[in-house]
């Protein structure tokens, strides 16, 4: 279970602090506004647009929400984080927007090359190996794994790197299946 794995991992770093881990996932809702008209949609709703890969906390129609300018699709988009009790009223304001669902979200993020924890990577991957290097702040102070990440950046050497492949087959390869080129294994 992902939640238990995460809790166990985080607890390793809580030494003497008086801190608790509380699962608030049921308190919040995440709504993706994706596609070429996503920015126009937010402007029509009078929601400010944050810079790319930035968060913006704001009040909208007396509701607190956070807008994240990070798209799951190649056509651009935003994530809206809102208290769960306001989810339906926010969705009602979207008018003719269409609900796509998790299957579509998964296809969009694969097309864009955005990996997910679980199906694409796990705790055995270093962040630069995942293709999410733009999420690293090299100017930030100390953090777990900082030395390894800095060494990879300065030397430019990765043992492996997640990448997209175009496969011409009628069946989907199994997870972690070997990828071969001329009988040589070049990945999984």
């Amino acid at each position: 279970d992902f939640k238990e794995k995460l809790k166990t991992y985080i607890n390793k770093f809580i030494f003497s602090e008086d801190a608790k881990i509380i699962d608030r996932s049921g308190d919040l809702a995440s709504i993706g506004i994706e596609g070429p008209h996503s920015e126009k949609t937010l402007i029509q709703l009078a929601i400010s647009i944050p810079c790319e890969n930035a968060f913006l906390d704001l009040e909208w129609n007396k509701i607190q929400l956070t807008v994240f300018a990070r798209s799951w699709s190649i056509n651009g988009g935003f994530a809206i984080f809102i208290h769960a009790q306001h989810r339906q009223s926010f969705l009602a304001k979207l008018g003719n927007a269409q609900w796509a669902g998790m299957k579509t979200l998964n296809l969009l993020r694969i097309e864009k090359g955005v990996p997910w924890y679980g199906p694409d990577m796990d705790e055995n991957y270093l962040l630069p190996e995942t293709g999410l290097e733009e999420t690293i702040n090299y100017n930030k102070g100390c953090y777990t794994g900082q030395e390894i990440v800095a060494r990879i950046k300065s030397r430019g050497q990765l043992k492996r790197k997640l990448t997209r492949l175009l496969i011409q087959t009628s069946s989907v390869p199994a997870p972690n299946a070997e990828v071969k080129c001329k009988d040589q294994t070049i990945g999984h």
Side-chain angles (χ1 to χ4, degrees):
D1 177 45
F2 176 72
K3 288 181 187 179
E4 281 306 310
K5 245 179 153 175
L6 181 61
K7 186 176 178 179
T8 301
Y9 180 77
I10 291 173
N11 273 327
K12 287 194 270 185
F13 302 102
I14 299 176
F15 302 108
S16 61
E17 293 84 1
D18 185 19
K20 285 188 220 177
I21 298 172
I22 300 170
D23 180 1
R24 295 205 47 221
S25 56
D27 299 343
L28 298 172
S30 171
I31 301 165
I33 312 289
E34 293 289 334
H37 303 293
S38 56
E39 188 169 324
K40 180 180 172 186
T41 299
L42 293 187
I43 290 168
Q44 288 173 340
L45 292 171
I47 295 176
S48 299
I49 308 294
C51 298
E52 187 176 353
N53 290 323
F55 290 90
L56 179 62
D57 294 316
L58 53 93
E59 184 175 300
W60 174 81
N61 288 356
K62 299 183 182 179
I63 298 171
Q64 289 300 126
L65 55 89
T66 299
V67 182
F68 182 30
R70 171 111 166 112
S71 177
W72 293 103
S73 72
I74 59 174
N75 293 313
F78 302 89
I80 308 292
F81 300 100
I82 190 168
H83 287 279
Q85 73 228 35
H86 302 298
R87 180 179 182 270
Q88 290 305 325
S89 61
F90 183 86
L91 291 174
K93 299 282 186 183
L94 292 177
N96 65 353
Q98 296 196 359
W99 180 255
M102 290 303 292
K103 189 174 183 177
T104 301
L105 176 60
N106 190 38
L107 292 173
L108 289 173
R109 66 105 193 157
I110 289 170
E111 180 182 57
K112 186 175 179 184
V114 178
W116 269 352
Y117 184 88
D120 304 318
M121 63 177 167
D122 59 22
E123 64 277 1
N124 297 310
Y125 282 79
L126 298 170
L127 191 56
E129 295 174 332
T130 66
L132 296 171
E133 195 159 6
E134 76 273 3
T135 64
I136 300 172
N137 182 344
Y138 289 102
N139 299 318
K140 186 178 185 275
C142 297
Y143 57 89
T144 304
Q146 179 183 20
E147 293 85 7
I148 295 168
V149 170
R151 193 174 321 127
I152 290 170
K153 182 181 182 203
S154 68
R155 294 185 184 164
Q157 296 176 337
L158 288 174
K159 180 179 168 184
R160 60 187 175 182
K161 185 164 177 129
L162 286 174
T163 188
R164 291 178 286 173
L165 294 175
L166 179 59
I167 300 172
Q168 296 178 347
T169 180
S170 59
S171 61
V172 178
N176 295 315
E178 284 187 341
V179 178
K180 293 188 171 204
C181 179
K182 298 181 182 175
D183 295 327
Q184 181 179 356
T185 301
I186 59 170
H188 291 88

